[in-house]
Amino acid sequence: MQFGLTFEKLLLIGLIAVLIVGPERLPRMAEGFAKVVRRAGEYLRDTRTRVRDEMGPELDDVDWRKLDPRQYDPRRIIRDAILEEPTPPTHPMAAAAAIAEPEPRTPPQRFTPGELPPFDLEAT
């Protein structure tokens, strides 16, 4: 993550902090800031360790750059889908179903004049 902080900006922030806080309280403030930064680092390390423990070793195999939403370009997705070769079915039954002819359709049921079609109370 980049915040756009350069060395010059950090130096300016430090100079302003010295002027606002004053030289007497600055060492205590720096100690407090260092503690906060240290605790935040420990929290992040503990969180990372807990996530690894709970998710298992598969977490290391994930390519997180592929999941970056900034990489989703609809034009590229459509182009890849169009140019992609169709994969043949791998399951033998799926291959047989793909080759088999479709089932013939049954003709619609004809009713004689005056005969009512069956009525299903549960279907309505």
Side-chain angles (χ1 to χ4, degrees), residues 20-100:
I20 291 175
V21 173
E24 303 87 31
R25 296 184 304 178
L26 188 63
R28 280 185 289 154
M29 296 292 266
E31 272 183 42
F33 181 70
K35 285 181 184 178
V36 167
V37 169
R38 197 174 305 119
R39 284 185 188 150
E42 290 173 4
Y43 176 75
L44 288 175
R45 280 189 295 277
D46 291 345
T47 303
R48 186 178 298 141
T49 303
R50 286 182 54 196
V51 167
R52 273 213 177 93
D53 290 345
E54 292 180 14
M55 296 294 289
E58 300 90 27
L59 185 66
D60 295 332
D61 298 335
V62 175
D63 185 12
W64 294 105
R65 286 176 281 152
K66 288 175 83 176
L67 300 175
D68 186 3
R70 293 174 290 183
Q71 292 187 359
Y72 291 115
D73 181 16
R75 294 170 295 195
R76 183 177 59 87
I77 293 170
I78 292 171
R79 183 182 62 237
D80 291 347
I82 291 173
L83 297 176
E84 182 179 280
E85 292 291 325
T87 57
T90 56
H91 192 272
M93 293 303 289
I99 296 172

Side-chain angles (χ1 to χ4, degrees), residues 8-22 26:
E8 292 84 15
K9 291 178 184 176
L10 290 174
L11 190 62
L12 181 63
I13 291 170
L15 181 63
I16 292 172
V18 168
L19 292 175
I20 291 175
V21 173
L26 188 63

Side-chain angles (χ1 to χ4, degrees), residues 100-108:
E101 295 180 14
E103 295 181 20
R105 295 184 59 180
T106 58

